Amino acid sequence: MLTLAEIMETIKMVQEENLDIRTITMGISLRDCADPDLKRACRKIYDKITRLASRLVAVGEEISREYGIPIVHKRISVTPISLIAECSRQEDYVEYALTLDAAAAAVGVNFIGGFSALVHKGFTGGDRILITSIPAALAGTGRVCASVNVATTRAGINMDAVYLMGRVIKETAARTAEQGGLGCAKLVVFSNVPEDNPFMAGAFHGIGEPECTINVGVSGPGVVKNAVARVGNADFGTLAETVKKTAFKITRMGELVGRLAAERLGVPFGIVDLSLAPTPAVGDSVAEILEAMGLERCGTHGTTAALALLNDAVKKGGAMASSYVGGLSGAFIPVSEDAGMIRAVEGGALSLDKLEAMTCVCSVGLDMIAVPGDTSAETIAAIIADEVAIGVINNKTTAVRIIPAPGKKVGDNVTFGGLLGEAPVMAVHPFSADNFVRRGGRIPAPIQSLTN
Amino acid sequence: MCAQEPKKNRIIVTVLGPDRVGIIAGVARVLAENNINILDISQTILQEFLAMIMIADMEKSRIDLSTLKERLAAKGSELGVRIDAQHEDAFRFMHRI
C-alpha cells in the first residue's frame, strides 16, 4: 500500500516543483518516402507523418489528464532529410522543409526535427545541398529544426563542415534578424550525435531506429533543486545519493508515460531521456541546483565539479529506473532557457570559457548562447571546433547552438519568447582564428587505445 | 508494469486546502453519485491546511476519469479547496519497483 508521505511527495513534485514530462517525441522513418519526383516525395512525406502522428497530441493530452502529470510538448523527429531528398536531384531542399512544416502544423506539434545531415567524415552531394538550404528553410518555416553532425570519435572532425556551419549560422541569423536571429535557436551542430534524442532542436530519427517509435524526455530541475536544498550541508556522498534517488523517481514517471503513449499509439517504446532540462520558469533551473549545492553563483570556481556530480548522479538514478535509457541523458545547460544561467551571465559570474569547461562533464554543449552580431563566421566555426573537439576526444556527445544576434553587442539582451527564453549577449575572444579555420580538411580521429 | 495491467481502475483523490465543515461529505457525495467506491481515506492537517487522500475504485462507474476530474474540480471550487484525481499508477510506478 502506498503511504501518505509517498502520495504527498508525488503531488508536491508536480504541483510545486515543476516536475513534468518535457516531451513525447514520435520518431518516424521516412526512408520509404524518397522519390526522384519532388512533388511525389513531398506528398509521401506529408501523408506518412500525418497518418502516423494523427493521434499523437490527443493521446499525450489524454495521458496527461488521466495521470495528472503535465506533458509539455508533443513533437516529431524524422529520418535526416539529406538521406531522403538526395534522390530527387533538386538544387535546394527548402520544399522538403515546407512539407515538414505543413505536416507538423496539420497534426498540431510545435516542432519537427530532422532537417539534418551527418557529415562527420565527408559530404555527399545531398548533404551539401541540405546544409546550404538550412538558412532559407529555417527562415521560411516556423516548426522545422535542423541539425548537422560534423564530428565523431571514430571519424574525427570534418573541418570543412565546421567552417561551412559557421557561415550557415551567420546567414541563418541574418535571414531571421527581425526576430533576433531566431533561426539559429532551431539549428544545432553536433559531435557524436545520438540517434534517439527526443529533445529539440537536435532531434532526428536515426538510421538504426525502427519504422516508428516513441521516445520520452523527462525533466525536473525544480524537484532535484528542492531535494538538494533539503539535505542542507550534508557531505558529498549524501548529496549524490539524494540526487540519484530523485532522478530515479523522475525517470519512473517518464517510463510510465512513455509505455502508455507507445501502447495507445500502437508503436514500440524507444527510450527515456532522463535529462534535467530547464525552462525560463522560476524554480526550473539547473543553475539553481548548482547554487543549492553551495556555490554563490553558477560559473564560479567549483561549478564544473558540482555539475559533474549532478550529471553522474542523474544518470545513475535514471539507469536503475528504466532499462531503455538513451538520448542525451544528463543535465542541460542552455543559457537563454535557464533563469539561473541568465542571472549568472548578467552578474559576470559565467563566461563562454567557463561554459565550455562545464560542457566537458555534462550532456550537451554550448547551448542557446547569444554572441555579438558582428562575430565572424570564422570565430563561430572556431567555437564549434573547440566544442566538438571536447566531444571527440572524450567520446561523448557535444553540441553547439549559438546565436550571433544581429545588431546586438555585449550587454544587450535578445528575446526569443516562450520556452526559448531570452539570452544576454556574451563576449567572444577578440583574437582571430581565421587561418586555423580556413585550412580545410579533416582533423584525424583520436587514438582510442591509449585513453587517459 | 503498467503496460500489462492498464485496466485497474483504482484512483487516488487528493484534497488540499483550508479546513472547513463538509469537505469529506462533499467529495464523498460526488463519488457516490457516480458509483465510485471509496476504499480508504486518510487525512492530516498540515499547519491549518487539510490534506486528504482517498483511494477509490472506479470499476463500476460509468464516467471516465476526465469527467470525474471536472466534477471534483467543480465541487472543489464550491468548497474552496483543490480536489484532484489521478490514476493510482502515477504514484505506484514512481515509488515501487
Side-chain angles (χ1 to χ4, degrees):
Chain A
M1 202 62 207
L2 286 159
T3 68
L4 188 68
E6 285 169 339
I7 291 172
M8 291 305 291
E9 185 185 6
T10 304
I11 291 168
K12 193 159 178 275
M13 280 184 185
V14 174
Q15 290 183 357
E16 292 169 26
E17 301 174 340
N18 301 327
L19 169 65
D20 58 44
I21 304 299
R22 186 56 53 83
T23 181
I24 298 182
T25 304
M26 177 180 266
I28 300 174
S29 166
L30 297 181
R31 272 153 62 182
D32 55 353
C33 299
D35 198 294
D37 181 77
L38 174 71
K39 282 213 162 58
R40 232 170 23 222
C42 288
R43 168 55 53 186
K44 282 195 231 174
I45 289 171
Y46 183 88
D47 288 348
K48 185 162 186 185
I49 293 171
T50 50
R51 175 169 56 86
L52 288 170
S54 62
R55 290 174 53 240
L56 178 64
V57 172
V59 165
E61 281 166 6
E62 179 185 297
I63 294 172
S64 183
R65 263 200 314 276
E66 236 171 83
Y67 288 80
I69 310 291
I71 300 174
V72 185
H73 301 298
K74 297 91 191 169
R75 291 170 169 174
I76 296 169
S77 63
V78 298
T79 310
I81 289 299
S82 62
L83 302 174
I84 308 309
E86 195 152 26
C87 89
S88 67
R89 305 210 173 278
Q90 296 295 305
E91 278 170 22
D92 74 62
Y93 292 163
V94 176
E95 198 60 41
Y96 287 93
L98 295 172
T99 303
L100 295 179
D101 205 42
V107 299
V109 298
N110 61 351
F111 281 123
I112 182 163
F115 198 75
S116 306
L118 307 165
V119 296
H120 36 272
K121 208 163 177 183
F123 302 91
T124 66
D127 291 333
R128 267 192 203 281
I129 300 169
L130 183 117
I131 292 173
T132 50
S133 306
I134 285 175
L138 294 183
T141 60
R143 301 168 197 248
V144 174
C145 293
S147 61
V148 178
N149 191 58
V150 298
T152 65
T153 297
R154 296 282 166 154
I157 305 171
N158 180 348
M159 286 299 292
D160 292 326
V162 168
Y163 187 20
L164 181 56
M165 287 315 294
R167 296 190 302 256
V168 164
I169 287 170
K170 284 289 285 184
E171 200 191 326
T172 304
R175 283 193 184 234
T176 52
E178 277 172 17
Q179 300 131 292
L182 179 67
C184 298
K186 296 182 283 177
L187 171 58
V188 189
V189 184
F190 271 112
S191 73
N192 290 324
V193 69
E195 298 195 337
D196 54 6
N197 160 31
F199 285 109
M200 294 297 166
F204 69 89
H205 188 71
I207 53 167
E209 295 284 302
E211 185 68 20
C212 184
T213 185
I214 289 289
N215 294 329
V216 167
V218 198
S219 191
V223 180
V224 175
K225 185 204 148 190
N226 285 339
V228 167
R230 270 196 299 274
V231 299
N233 292 324
D235 71 359
F236 286 110
T238 313
L239 185 63
E241 187 67 19
T242 305
V243 175
K244 207 165 78 179
K245 282 183 182 153
T246 311
F248 173 85
K249 291 178 182 176
I250 296 172
T251 311
R252 292 292 290 169
M253 207 49 108
E255 170 101 3
L256 171 69
V257 168
R259 289 191 179 279
L260 280 168
E263 187 185 282
R264 292 185 189 182
L265 289 163
V267 296
F269 172 60
I271 55 109
V272 181
D273 183 315
L274 48 118
S275 288
L276 296 180
T279 69
V282 175
D284 213 16
S285 152
V286 171
E288 283 172 12
I289 303 176
L290 304 177
E291 289 169 4
M293 287 185 186
L295 303 169
E296 187 182 359
R297 265 285 170 271
C298 175
T300 192
H301 303 294
T303 304
T304 310
L307 184 58
L309 182 156
L310 174 67
N311 205 53
D312 183 64
V314 165
K315 286 182 197 205
K316 283 173 178 162
M320 173 72 183
S322 169
S323 293
Y324 299 101
V325 172
L328 291 159
S329 288
F332 279 48
I333 50 168
V335 174
S336 80
E337 298 166 3
D338 186 316
M341 297 286 277
I342 294 171
R343 215 166 38 233
V345 173
E346 286 172 346
L350 185 59
S351 66
L352 204 51
D353 290 345
K354 186 63 177 182
L355 269 171
E356 185 187 310
M358 287 162 74
T359 64
C360 298
V361 299
C362 83
S363 304
V364 276
L366 297 170
D367 197 17
M368 288 303 284
I369 287 159
V371 294
D374 60 2
T375 308
S376 71
E378 286 77 10
T379 297
I380 291 171
I383 293 170
I384 296 171
D386 280 343
E387 191 55 40
V388 299
I390 289 171
V392 165
I393 299 295
N394 295 300
N395 214 349
K396 69 190 286 300
T397 303
T398 53
V400 176
R401 189 158 51 138
I402 192 167
I403 303 115
K408 303 274 181 171
K409 53 188 191 313
V410 176
D412 291 347
N413 257 41
V414 50
T415 306
F416 302 112
L419 274 177
L420 296 172
E422 62 170 288
V425 175
M426 298 179 79
V428 297
H429 287 284
F431 302 99
S432 154
D434 297 10
N435 291 338
F436 177 75
V437 167
R438 286 185 186 140
R439 278 178 190 277
R442 185 153 55 97
I443 295 180
I447 188 158
Q448 291 286 299
S449 56
L450 301 178
T451 50
N452 60 30
Chain B
M1 303 293 274
C2 69
Q4 277 102 53
E5 39 184 304
K7 291 287 162 233
K8 282 185 68 174
N9 280 324
R10 292 218 302 211
I11 56 162
I12 291 181
V13 179
T14 54
V15 180
L16 292 168
D19 196 13
R20 56 169 278 187
V21 173
I23 293 175
I24 295 185
V27 178
R29 193 170 311 125
V30 174
L31 298 179
E33 279 163 6
N34 294 293
N35 208 17
I36 295 165
N37 188 27
I38 298 171
L39 304 172
D40 196 3
I41 300 182
S42 58
Q43 67 162 32
T44 176
I45 304 289
L46 299 168
Q47 283 146 19
E48 65 277 17
F49 278 87
L50 168 76
M52 182 184 72
I53 292 166
M54 276 181 185
I55 300 178
D57 185 357
M58 285 192 79
E59 192 61 48
K60 300 219 171 71
S61 178
R62 251 174 273 136
I63 60 166
D64 63 9
L65 186 51
S66 357
T67 316
L68 177 66
K69 279 167 78 96
E70 279 162 28
R71 290 184 191 173
L72 286 172
K75 177 59 77 179
S77 57
E78 191 184 302
L79 294 166
V81 293
R82 177 173 176 155
I83 309 180
D84 215 340
Q86 278 172 259
H87 200 283
E88 187 198 21
D89 281 347
F91 302 92
R92 207 160 49 86
F93 214 73
M94 181 183 263
H95 297 284
R96 295 283 180 273
I97 303 175

